[in-house]
Amino acid sequence: MARRGAARGASDRKRSERRQESVSATVDGGLAELVPDRERPRAWTLLLDGAPQSHVDLDDPSYLSFEYQRRLGHVIDLAAPAGRPLQVVHLGGGAFTLARYIAVSRPRSTQQIVEIDAPLVQLVRRELPLDPQARIRVRSADARAGLGRIQDGWADLVIADVFGGARTPAHLTSVEFLAEVRRVLKPGGQYAANLADGPPLAHLRGQIATAASLFPELALAADPTVWRGRRFGNAVLVASDLPIAVADLTRRVASDPHPGRVEQGRALADFTGGAAVVTDAAARPSPAPPPDAFS
C-alpha cells in the first residue's frame, strides 16, 4: 500500500510539473481557472470569474500566500498547542488551502469541508489532489445545510470562507446561522470568518454586532486601510466563549508581509457603533467588490 501511495504521489507530481498553462472549467459559480504560480513550481491560484479565491502550493501546503489566509492560519496556529490535532469544519472549500495547511501543521486532525459547488470540488480534486492520508472529508452541500448535519459540540474550529459571485450569501450572515455555528462548536471552540467589505463598512459592523450577541469574546484583524474605510478588503473575525490569544494574534498579524491591526474589547465595540444584529428576516449578501478590487 505504501509503495502504491508513493507511486501515485510521484505520478501526481510529474503530471502537475508538466503543466505550464492555466486549467479552466465551467462550474456552478461561473468560470473557474487554476493559474500556475510562475515563482513556485507546483503552486496554483484559483479564480472564479476572474476573482482570486485561493492559492495553494502542493509542495509546501504550509505556505499561505493570500493575506486573509495567512490571518486565518494564525488563528489555526493559536487555537491549540502546536501540533495538537483539531476537529475542524470548513464552510466553503476553494482549493482546500486551509484544510491542507491543517493537515500538515496538525497531523491526525479530522476535517470536514462543506462546499456547495460540486463541479468545483471535482476540478480541485482532479487537478490539485488531496493527500490520500489526510483525514479530510469533502461534502457538496450548502454551507448552512451542511453545518446543520454536524453533531452538537463536534468542532474545535469552524472556519467560514463562503463567497458566491464574490459576495457572502445572506443566509450565512445572520444570528440564526451563528447559533448553528455555536451549536457545532465544543466549549471553548472558535469561529473564524473571512469577511469582505468596503466604505462605509456597514456589513462588517453588522457582522461584529451579530457575533457579539452570541459570543462574549471577539477579535477582528484587518489591514489599516480597511479599518479606516479607505478601500474594499478582507477582515478576519474570531469569536469564542473563552478568551482569545489576542496578544499573540496581534504580534503575528503585525509581522505579516502586509501588516494588519487587531482590535478587541472596547475599541471593537466602539468601531461597531451600535450596529443592529442581523436576523434571517433582514439579512442581505455582503456588498459586491468594486470593479478595480482585484486589479
Side-chain angles (χ1 to χ4, degrees), residues 7-30:
R8 178 179 174 182
S11 175
D12 289 339
R13 184 174 296 105
K14 289 177 181 177
R15 182 161 58 95
S16 182
E17 286 171 350
R18 285 197 298 269
R19 287 196 206 98
Q20 299 297 324
E21 302 301 328
S22 300
V23 178
S24 62
T26 300
V27 299
D28 291 344

Side-chain angles (χ1 to χ4, degrees), residues 25-41:
T26 300
V27 299
D28 291 344
L31 178 65
E33 298 174 90
L34 291 170
V35 179
D37 184 334
R38 300 303 181 187
E39 297 181 359
R40 303 178 76 90

Side-chain angles (χ1 to χ4, degrees), residues 12-86:
D12 289 339
R13 184 174 296 105
K14 289 177 181 177
R15 182 161 58 95
S16 182
E17 286 171 350
R18 285 197 298 269
R19 287 196 206 98
Q20 299 297 324
E21 302 301 328
S22 300
V23 178
S24 62
T26 300
V27 299
D28 291 344
L31 178 65
E33 298 174 90
L34 291 170
V35 179
D37 184 334
R38 300 303 181 187
E39 297 181 359
R40 303 178 76 90
R42 299 183 68 232
W44 300 81
T45 299
L46 169 66
L47 297 92
L48 282 176
D49 285 339
Q53 300 290 321
S54 302
H55 179 280
V56 61
D57 187 334
L58 297 180
D59 284 335
D60 183 10
S62 67
Y63 175 74
L64 300 177
S65 174
F66 285 9
E67 178 182 288
Y68 84 87
Q69 289 180 332
R70 288 181 63 87
R71 289 174 186 162
L72 287 169
H74 298 327
V75 174
I76 293 164
D77 292 345
L78 296 170
R84 177 184 294 177
L86 295 175

Side-chain angles (χ1 to χ4, degrees), residues 139-285:
R139 178 185 299 161
S140 294
D142 170 78
R144 187 158 164 180
L147 188 67
R149 291 196 286 269
I150 298 174
Q151 68 192 64
D152 294 4
W154 183 84
D156 296 294
L157 185 61
V158 174
I159 300 174
D161 183 16
V162 186
F163 289 86
R167 305 176 73 180
T168 300
H171 69 298
L172 304 180
T173 68
S174 69
V175 68
E176 291 89 346
F177 162 69
L178 285 184
E180 275 294 281
V181 170
R182 178 146 191 175
R183 177 189 65 78
V184 167
L185 286 171
K186 297 176 181 179
Q190 294 187 353
Y191 169 65
N194 175 31
L195 307 174
D197 200 8
L201 300 178
H203 173 72
L204 190 55
R205 298 179 206 276
Q207 290 304 286
I208 298 167
T210 304
S213 71
L214 290 174
F215 294 96
E217 300 292 334
L218 299 178
L220 188 78
D223 185 280
T225 59
V226 174
W227 274 113
R228 293 193 289 268
R230 293 184 178 177
R231 71 169 178 88
F232 190 95
N234 296 85
V236 169
L237 175 66
V238 188
S240 180
D241 59 3
L242 292 180
I244 298 162
V246 175
D248 289 335
L249 181 63
T250 299
R251 283 192 290 270
R252 289 170 180 245
V253 170
S255 65
D256 281 342
H258 299 284
R261 195 173 90 225
V262 177
E263 295 288 5
Q264 63 158 343
R266 171 60 67 182
L268 192 56
D270 290 345
F271 172 80
T272 306
V277 172
V278 178
T279 64
D280 276 343
R284 298 291 182 270

Side-chain angles (χ1 to χ4, degrees), residues 59-127:
D59 284 335
D60 183 10
S62 67
Y63 175 74
L64 300 177
S65 174
F66 285 9
E67 178 182 288
Y68 84 87
Q69 289 180 332
R70 288 181 63 87
R71 289 174 186 162
L72 287 169
H74 298 327
V75 174
I76 293 164
D77 292 345
L78 296 170
R84 177 184 294 177
L86 295 175
Q87 294 184 176
V88 184
V89 177
H90 301 264
L91 303 178
F96 312 153
T97 303
L98 292 172
R100 299 174 200 265
Y101 178 84
I102 291 170
V104 298
S105 64
R106 295 182 177 276
R108 304 183 310 284
S109 291
T110 303
Q111 303 184 71
Q112 299 188 48
I113 298 173
V114 184
E115 169 57 60
I116 194 171
D117 196 329
L120 176 62
V121 169
Q122 293 169 5
L123 173 68
V124 173
R125 278 190 177 278
R126 183 179 71 245
E127 303 296 336

